[in-house]
Amino acid sequence: MGSVTSYFDQLCGQQQKKEEQRLLQANDRPFNLSYHYANNAIKTSKYNIFTFLPLNLFEQFRRLANGYFLFLFVLQLIPQIASLSWFTTAVPLLLVLSITAVKDAADDINRHKSDKQVNNRKVNVLIDGQLQSEKWMNVQVGDVIKLENNQFVTADLLLLSSSEPLNLVYVETAELDGETNLKVKQALTVTGELGGSVEALANFNGEVRCEPPNNRLDKFKGTLTVDGQMYSLDNDKVLLRGCTLRNTDWCFGLVIFGGPDTKLMQNSGKTTFKRTSIDHLMNVLVLCKTPRVDFSWNQLADPKFIFHDHSLVETIKEGNMEAQAFFRILALCHTVMPEEKKEGELHYQAQSPDEGALVTAARNFGFVFRSRTPETITVVEMGRQVTYDLLAVLDFNNVRKRMSVIVRDPEGKLTLYCKGADTIIFERLHSSCNKLMDITTRHLNEYAGDGLRTLALAYKDLDEHYTKEWMQRNYEASTAIDGREEKLDQLYEEIEKDLLLLGATAVEDKLQDGVPQTIEQLAKADIKMWVLTGDKQETAENIGYSCNMLREEMKDVFVVSANTSEGVKRELQSARRKMCPTAAEEPKVTKARAGLFWLQKTEIVHDDNVDGEYALVINGHSLAFALEKDLELELLRTACMCQTVICCRVTPLQKAQVVELVKKYKQAVTLAIGDGANDVSMIKAAHIGVGISGQEGMQAVLSSDYSFAQFRYLQRLLLVHGRWSYLRMCKFLQYFFYKNFTFTFVHFWYAFFCGFSAQTVYDEWFITMYNLVYTALPVLGMSLFDQDVNDRWSFQHPQLYSPGPLNIYFNKKSFIRCMVHSCYSSLILFFIPWAAMQGTVRDDGKDIADYQSFALLAQTCLLVAVDIQLCLDTYYWTAVNQFFVWGSLAVYFATTFTMHSNGMFLIFTSAFPFIGTARNSLSQPNVWLTILLTTLLCSLPVIAFRFIVIQLRPTINDKVRHKLRKEALPAPAPRRPPTRRISTRRSGYAFSHAQGYGDLVTSRRFLLKRPLKARTALFQHTESPLAQNQPQHYRSIPEEPTQPRFHE
């Protein structure tokens, strides 16, 4: 499809020179339009009113069956060679093409509606010195636009200024990378000084030079020139289309890329024409509930917070020192920013959803984080306001996996509060905490068994003199030119030791209902599952364990995280050699040909035998090297040896590249499932694309082949409806070939008796109605309703799915068997009636061995035989099936008697020449005995053959069908919480704010604000989990909004 469009573009002279660098000037439309940059309109539809018919027909005739019937139709238009009327082929072909075209048109109309809705969104654009409301589609490169809180980002923008201090903005990037935690972007100081002044922004004439449009979401290179001074631009200065502005009143941005040039659209991939493997083969062939805790005693409590443990609240109220210290840590040790528009109405700005959830928990239990300055933190402790001096923030990074704060209380007591991954904290505890650590470890193991994200809390009282001396050394290290990071790490390690343990928290990383069970069922069905996610490695691993994709009993979990091509190669090879030491160094690749006339070259990488279960986790930067030409086979080979593969921090394009790699070298059917715009390219690349209509927009749904609301529905889609569909399609094709080959072979045998004169053995009207009327509804009924076992048995035995990917029920061998069967049946259906009528006379002595009587007998035997064959193929009978089968036979006889009547002959003499044939022939007993004999001879060998095969080589379907005759129907699976898994691994707390954020919150400039109007609510969408300070966990499938559970 894409290649066809490109070809037409070349013909029309629309092929543009590849852009090497983008140059634009702010507020200068004439200058920018001279470069013919794309505007901001997008197009995801495939057709328009002019191209629909030619392109849709082109796609349909790529199916060889449609092309074959078109060719046959053309031949029938030539009188000299036509043996049948043209309408015998035209009517069925036109019907098939029309139905498919209507379906394709309906799908594309929905895409047009979605495009129109997006393109017609309104945004404020700075035009002629004034802010004007414009449609998205009219926005041009170089325009300055204003975004407000909760608005979608219109295009790829250079951030100029914002309402926040330090020109920060908070954005949600769920549609880009699947992550719902907030990201921070910051404008340059030179543009931030423009503020919200429309006049200053209108006079801004900065010039941007940057990279051309590309699909790299994590990189941006460019420069901004203002008044002759050049400033460097990177990804932190850019807002990408697909993001949503959060917790920020307003911001201004300069459009750099619009519409199809945006990174979101560059990652969306091309819409391709998808065909099933059968299509390709056809081308070759043709919770318990307790009362909620009442937090009304706390006037500052969050009313949306739900808690059920009354004993913990009573412990806090009774003044338990350990419990209060526990929540004091949560209220002090964090980087959350508070906002209080009205007295008592607190809103927390937290980069990490877990941070926000834990601070909210402390708030409801009487330790309310109220406000902060660069030097103080104010907390309301059990109704009493306490202000702590904030002396230092020991920031988080990926190596430390912890953060600490040093505070002084009003009495002058110095304390270090620390929280972090439990394994890291336990290494730094005082020996007096051993007993408490053992108890806490048991609790943590329980939490890990439930798949919860854990965090340990500890503290340490500090000496005044030591702290003062440490602070001086910390200042010197933080201002050092060389070795700053190493010096700070040493100081942090020095003070963060001999800690006293207070307890641990666990936050539920709640997946949708049924996710682990679904994954378990799909694994039993021999479906290999790879996770391609934008989440960071720790989060992806946490979800892997929560879903049972990563398990403790696995022999090893390999992590590939090298930053060089050679490093990635070494790590992949090391993993492969450990899994299979005897495997050859080079992969075994089989080159073959496939497709129509075997013109398509294929390469298949064979799997190596592995003893045990392994898993592979690979980072996005490592995956970029692994997908290069010289390493892709090593990646594929190693990954296919693993039971589970998790690719984290991957870009949308990398997702598609992984799918294409599997398609290219494994010749396997791929299914991609996603819920956001970052999954669109992957969904388009896979053979089957499934979109989940979740919290991340509808882009995935609009680009998918199937869509539903929850991941667990995939189990029913594949194991029940998908399997039934495969079986029905296989039966349909086998029956289709059987009835048509038999129909044709009878013609072939007849040719020997008619001198190859192209005379038809059947009545012409029978030929026209054979596929269109007489045999259409019975096979339609089987294709719609047939099932080997019902849905409960399908869930009970997911192994029933495995024959489908292996193409066991319809392949070239079964096609040949079908031809042999058809040949045998045609011999019976021609020669038995021929012999039975040879020299036969009627009861009155008259001869009935004429062409018309033989034609009637042959076509009647054929129709009865193929209907009986369909009955033998049908496993599941319904009233509809019965009606279609016997109704079709009744229609045949009624139509035949009508067409052979005197009245039809008198009205249309030349069209209905078989006058009286039906009543004369079908009144004879020997004719009915002949029909019975041919039916038995066609059916009995089939019954005998199937009986022998079931006895000697039964399939999994045969075994389950035999079992269901002896056992009762399995009960529906109860909706119960997942069983606890025993785990020695604890899921580390997912800090997700960027390193250095601690420095930001202690900055003296951080809380400087411009005069602002009254701010709007941080979250207009109150149903959003972010608005409720609920953990929005990194995921590649949507989650249902739930309140987090907290454990002490």
Side-chain angles (χ1 to χ4, degrees):
M1 176 71 186
S3 60
V4 174
T5 306
S6 299
Y7 174 71
F8 286 138
D9 286 344
Q10 291 178 15
L11 289 180
C12 300
Q14 295 178 1
Q15 194 74 11
Q16 296 182 357
K17 183 179 179 180
K18 185 177 180 181
E19 188 177 345
E20 296 181 356
Q21 184 187 62
R22 174 151 297 199
L23 172 64
L24 60 99
Q25 291 184 358
N27 296 308
D28 193 344
R29 277 197 173 186
F31 175 84
N32 298 321
L33 288 174
S34 66
Y35 288 91
H36 304 289
Y37 296 138
N39 61 21
N40 202 42
I42 64 165
K43 176 179 175 293
T44 61
S45 56
K46 295 168 62 177
Y47 317 107
N48 58 40
I49 193 171
F50 302 108
T51 63
F52 173 74
L53 192 59
L55 287 181
N56 187 260
L57 289 177
F58 170 77
E59 288 183 352
Q60 292 202 55
F61 284 120
R62 289 179 65 182
R63 293 188 175 97
L64 192 61
N66 291 339
Y68 165 77
F69 284 109
L70 177 64
F71 178 71
L72 188 62
F73 168 70
V74 173
L75 292 180
Q76 289 176 346
L77 293 176
I78 306 174
Q80 290 79 4
I81 62 174
S83 60
L84 296 171
S85 300
W86 59 270
F87 55 81
T88 60
T89 299
V91 174
L93 178 62
L94 188 61
L95 184 63
V96 170
L97 295 177
S98 300
I99 293 174
T100 306
V102 170
K103 187 265 296 181
D104 291 342
D107 290 343
D108 209 56
I109 287 173
N110 289 331
R111 296 190 189 99
H112 275 283
K113 289 180 179 178
S114 174
D115 291 346
K116 184 178 180 180
Q117 185 266 331
V118 171
N119 290 331
N120 287 331
R121 287 174 179 168
K122 293 298 185 69
V123 67
N124 289 324
V125 183
L126 194 56
I127 301 176
D128 297 331
Q130 293 182 339
L131 283 176
Q132 300 180 11
S133 179
E134 281 282 353
K135 295 179 179 179
W136 278 26
M137 60 189 293
N138 297 328
V139 173
Q140 301 289 340
V141 171
D143 286 352
V144 174
I145 66 175
K146 180 183 181 180
L147 298 177
E148 296 182 348
N149 192 36
N150 293 324
Q151 274 191 339
F152 292 106
V153 177
T154 309
D156 287 357
L157 308 175
L158 170 62
L159 180 61
L160 297 178
S161 62
S162 81
S163 60
E164 300 302 300
L166 291 184
N167 303 303
L168 298 174
V169 297
Y170 302 90
V171 291
E172 181 183 296
T173 60
E175 285 205 8
L176 290 175
D177 54 20
E179 296 187 12
T180 53
N181 61 301
L182 300 184
K183 308 273 193 316
V184 175
K185 303 287 185 176
Q186 186 175 22
L188 290 168
T189 304
V190 65
T191 60
E193 292 172 350
L194 299 172
S197 170
V198 173
E199 181 181 356
L201 287 162
N203 293 326
F204 176 67
N205 60 353
E207 181 180 275
V208 174
R209 292 181 182 269
C210 65
E211 60 189 13
N214 59 74
N215 52 41
R216 297 188 296 273
L217 294 173
D218 58 341
K219 294 183 184 298
F220 179 82
K221 295 179 181 179
T223 60
L224 171 66
T225 304
V226 181
D227 298 330
Q229 185 69 36
M230 185 178 294
Y231 303 89
S232 176
L233 301 179
D234 56 26
N235 205 46
D236 290 335
K237 310 294 188 297
V238 176
L239 304 182
L240 300 182
R241 180 173 181 146
C243 298
T244 306
L245 193 66
R246 299 290 192 197
N247 298 1
T248 308
D249 276 351
W250 51 261
C251 72
F252 284 89
L254 174 65
V255 178
I256 300 175
F257 302 122
D261 291 344
T262 59
K263 292 182 182 287
L264 173 66
M265 296 304 296
Q266 290 282 311
N267 275 282
S268 64
K270 295 181 179 179
T271 302
T272 59
F273 175 64
K274 297 182 179 182
R275 289 177 286 179
T276 66
S277 59
I278 292 180
D279 271 334
H280 286 286
L281 183 56
M282 283 292 292
N283 281 356
V284 176
L285 308 176
V286 180
L287 185 254
C288 72
K289 290 189 177 181
T290 58
R292 293 183 180 182
V293 173
D294 182 11
F295 289 108
S296 60
W297 57 274
N298 181 2
Q299 299 298 320
L300 295 175
D302 186 345
K304 298 183 291 296
F305 186 86
I306 300 172
F307 199 77
H308 297 274
D309 188 351
H310 292 262
S311 62
L312 181 57
V313 178
E314 295 303 319
T315 301
I316 297 291
K317 289 182 178 181
E318 291 170 2
N320 183 284
M321 299 302 294
E322 289 80 6
Q324 291 190 357
F326 180 89
F327 287 104
R328 185 177 291 113
I329 288 184
L330 296 181
L332 292 172
C333 187
H334 54 77
T335 57
V336 173
M337 295 298 298
E339 186 174 39
E340 188 172 4
K341 299 185 297 292
K342 295 181 181 179
E343 183 73 19
E345 288 189 12
L346 278 170
H347 295 272
Y348 292 143
Q349 298 178 7
Q351 269 200 311
S352 162
D354 287 16
E355 288 265 75
L358 294 175
V359 174
T360 301
R363 168 184 174 180
N364 278 60
F365 284 98
F367 287 77
V368 184
F369 169 52
R370 191 72 178 264
S371 64
R372 81 184 315 147
T373 70
E375 297 87 10
T376 64
I377 298 177
T378 300
V379 179
V380 178
E381 299 183 354
M382 305 302 293
R384 183 173 63 94
Q385 182 165 302
V386 181
T387 299
Y388 292 83
D389 293 332
L390 179 61
L391 303 183
V393 175
L394 284 60
D395 203 7
F396 160 85
N397 64 36
N398 288 320
V399 177
R400 285 169 42 76
K401 295 184 178 179
R402 65 192 185 276
M403 74 164 292
S404 302
V405 294
I406 300 175
V407 297
R408 188 197 306 269
D409 66 14
E411 287 74 31
K413 181 180 178 181
L414 290 170
T415 309
L416 178 145
Y417 293 112
C418 182
K419 69 178 182 183
D422 42 71
T423 53
I424 302 296
I425 299 298
F426 286 176
E427 294 173 356
R428 290 157 176 80
L429 293 179
H430 192 271
S431 57
S432 62
C433 298
N434 289 342
K435 184 177 180 180
L436 179 58
M437 185 175 68
D438 292 339
I439 298 172
T440 305
T441 300
R442 290 199 298 270
H443 292 166
L444 288 169
N445 288 336
E446 291 180 9
Y447 303 153
D450 288 334
L452 307 181
R453 291 217 298 271
T454 57
L455 176 70
L457 309 179
Y459 76 100
K460 176 183 179 180
D461 293 330
L462 299 175
D463 175 72
E464 177 77 34
H465 176 73
Y466 170 77
T467 304
K468 184 176 181 180
E469 183 265 338
W470 184 92
M471 291 290 294
Q472 178 61 33
R473 288 190 287 140
N474 181 63
Y475 172 76
E476 293 172 356
S478 63
T479 56
I481 301 299
D482 299 322
R484 179 186 301 178
E485 298 296 331
E486 292 79 7
K487 293 177 181 179
L488 286 174
D489 285 341
Q490 290 176 4
L491 284 171
Y492 293 169
E493 287 287 339
E494 175 188 321
I495 200 170
E496 290 175 328
K497 63 182 181 181
D498 295 332
L499 303 176
L500 299 178
L501 181 64
L502 271 175
T505 66
V507 180
E508 182 178 14
D509 193 355
K510 192 178 188 314
L511 301 171
Q512 285 187 345
D513 288 342
V515 170
Q517 296 88 337
T518 298
I519 290 175
E520 181 181 5
Q521 287 286 83
L522 297 182
K524 289 179 180 178
D526 200 26
I527 297 174
K528 292 187 178 293
M529 286 163 289
W530 293 17
V531 177
L532 311 177
T533 176
D535 299 339
K536 62 181 182 179
Q537 179 181 328
E538 185 181 51
T539 308
E541 290 182 14
N542 290 342
I543 294 178
Y545 280 99
S546 299
C547 304
N548 292 332
M549 295 187 70
L550 299 177
R551 298 179 293 278
E552 290 295 315
E553 57 269 21
M554 284 182 164
K555 284 192 172 182
D556 205 347
V557 177
F558 302 106
V559 177
V560 178
S561 57
N563 292 310
T564 64
S565 179
E566 284 299 318
V568 171
K569 184 177 181 179
R570 284 194 303 269
E571 291 182 355
L572 288 174
Q573 289 179 340
S574 175
R576 173 175 55 79
R577 291 165 183 162
K578 185 173 182 179
M579 288 187 285
C580 187
T582 60
E585 283 299 308
E586 294 299 323
K588 182 181 179 182
V589 181
T590 300
K591 296 184 178 181
R593 290 184 176 271
L596 183 62
F597 304 124
W598 287 267
L599 297 177
Q600 178 185 353
K601 296 180 180 180
T602 63
E603 293 179 288
I604 302 175
V605 177
H606 296 274
D607 292 337
D608 296 295
N609 294 324
V610 179
D611 183 20
E613 292 185 349
Y614 297 87
L616 176 69
V617 179
I618 182 168
N619 273 313
H621 57 266
S622 302
L623 184 63
F625 294 111
L627 288 171
E628 292 176 353
K629 192 68 178 178
D630 57 335
L631 278 183
E632 61 180 8
L633 291 183
E634 188 67 48
L635 168 66
L636 183 65
R637 186 182 180 191
T638 305
C640 289
M641 297 169 72
C642 298
Q643 185 73 15
T644 297
V645 178
I646 298 179
C647 304
C648 48
R649 283 299 187 196
V650 296
T651 66
L653 185 62
Q654 285 179 328
K655 293 182 181 182
Q657 289 174 332
V658 171
V659 173
E660 294 288 359
L661 179 63
V662 175
K663 288 172 62 178
K664 181 179 179 181
Y665 289 110
K666 300 305 293 185
Q667 301 299 309
V669 176
T670 57
L671 181 148
I673 180 168
D675 65 345
N678 58 314
D679 300 314
V680 168
S681 57
M682 172 181 68
I683 288 172
K684 289 181 177 180
H687 293 99
I688 305 165
V690 178
I692 296 181
S693 51
Q695 300 174 359
E696 298 181 12
M698 295 294 289
Q699 291 291 328
V701 170
L702 294 171
S703 303
S704 65
D705 304 302
Y706 302 92
S707 66
F708 40 74
Q710 296 194 33
F711 181 82
R712 62 187 174 93
Y713 297 155
L714 183 64
Q715 181 179 185
R716 188 170 188 87
L717 176 69
L718 294 180
L719 302 186
V720 179
H721 296 294
R723 193 179 64 81
W724 284 349
S725 178
Y726 171 72
L727 290 174
R728 292 164 181 170
M729 182 62 72
C730 291
K731 285 187 176 183
F732 167 80
L733 290 174
Q734 289 176 346
Y735 178 73
F736 176 85
F737 285 126
Y738 170 75
K739 71 184 182 70
N740 284 291
F741 282 154
T742 304
F743 174 91
T744 305
F745 278 145
V746 172
H747 270 293
F748 178 73
W749 308 130
Y750 180 69
F752 290 95
F753 294 84
C754 69
F756 295 92
S757 62
Q759 183 182 13
T760 59
V761 68
Y762 311 117
D763 175 11
E764 189 172 297
W765 284 103
F766 176 81
I767 296 173
T768 303
M769 302 180 70
Y770 178 70
N771 280 312
L772 198 60
V773 178
Y774 300 147
T775 61
L777 289 180
V779 70
L780 178 64
M782 181 181 70
S783 301
L784 291 176
F785 302 109
D786 196 47
Q787 49 185 262
D788 53 347
V789 296
N790 62 28
D791 55 347
R792 295 189 190 176
W793 283 102
S794 297
F795 286 132
Q796 189 82 2
H797 299 278
Q799 300 86 351
L800 287 168
Y801 183 84
S802 56
L806 300 176
N807 287 328
I808 289 178
Y809 296 132
F810 188 77
N811 48 45
K812 295 175 183 178
K813 290 183 179 179
S814 60
F815 176 73
I816 293 173
R817 285 198 300 268
C818 182
M819 288 189 63
V820 172
H821 183 201
S822 299
C823 184
Y824 165 77
S825 297
S826 67
L827 289 169
I828 297 297
L829 292 171
F830 177 78
F831 287 102
I832 295 298
W834 175 77
M837 296 195 71
Q838 188 72 24
T840 303
V841 295
R842 293 163 44 91
D843 294 339
D844 55 7
K846 294 182 180 179
D847 188 11
I848 63 170
D850 59 85
Y851 162 73
Q852 293 183 343
S853 299
F854 175 75
L856 177 65
L857 179 58
Q859 67 191 36
T860 305
C861 291
L862 170 68
L863 188 60
V864 174
V866 297
D867 275 354
I868 296 300
Q869 178 65 40
L870 181 133
C871 295
L872 295 176
D873 290 340
T874 302
Y875 288 148
Y876 185 73
W877 284 93
T878 65
V880 177
N881 294 75
Q882 298 277 6
F883 176 76
F884 283 172
V885 171
W886 310 120
S888 294
L889 285 174
V891 168
Y892 165 72
F893 285 111
T895 304
T896 300
F897 277 103
T898 301
M899 290 182 176
H900 295 184
S901 65
N902 296 350
M904 295 297 291
F905 176 77
L906 293 174
I907 300 173
F908 307 102
T909 303
S910 60
F912 300 100
F914 281 39
I915 181 173
T917 303
R919 62 176 181 267
N920 291 334
S921 297
L922 297 180
S923 62
Q924 302 302 308
N926 61 337
V927 171
W928 290 103
L929 288 173
T930 302
I931 296 173
L932 178 61
L933 178 62
T934 56
T935 303
L936 291 174
L937 290 175
C938 288
S939 304
L940 289 178
V942 176
I943 296 172
F945 176 77
R946 292 182 180 179
F947 174 80
I948 295 172
V949 169
I950 290 175
Q951 298 301 315
L952 299 179
R953 299 179 63 183
T955 64
I956 180 67
N957 298 66
D958 297 328
K959 294 176 182 178
V960 174
R961 282 174 54 80
H962 178 72
K963 183 179 180 180
L964 68 85
R965 295 190 185 101
K966 296 182 178 182
E967 298 182 9
L969 184 69
R975 299 293 297 275
R976 61 181 185 274
T979 56
R980 172 172 294 173
R981 57 180 175 87
I982 305 301
S983 173
T984 60
R985 175 191 181 277
R986 294 196 289 277
S987 170
Y989 175 73
F991 289 93
S992 49
H993 67 257
Q995 180 180 356
Y997 199 68
D999 293 336
L1000 194 61
V1001 300
T1002 57
S1003 169
R1004 293 185 175 275
R1005 296 177 55 199
F1006 188 81
L1007 298 178
L1008 298 177
K1009 285 184 173 286
R1010 306 183 186 93
L1012 298 176
K1013 296 181 292 184
R1015 298 190 63 168
T1016 57
L1018 289 175
F1019 296 96
Q1020 300 289 350
H1021 306 292
T1022 56
E1023 72 279 3
S1024 166
L1026 280 172
Q1028 302 174 22
N1029 280 317
Q1030 296 176 14
Q1032 281 295 283
H1033 310 291
Y1034 308 100
R1035 68 210 198 286
S1036 45
I1037 54 176
E1039 303 165 320
E1040 294 175 342
T1042 57
Q1043 293 288 345
R1045 301 197 316 230
F1046 300 93
H1047 306 265
E1048 178 184 2

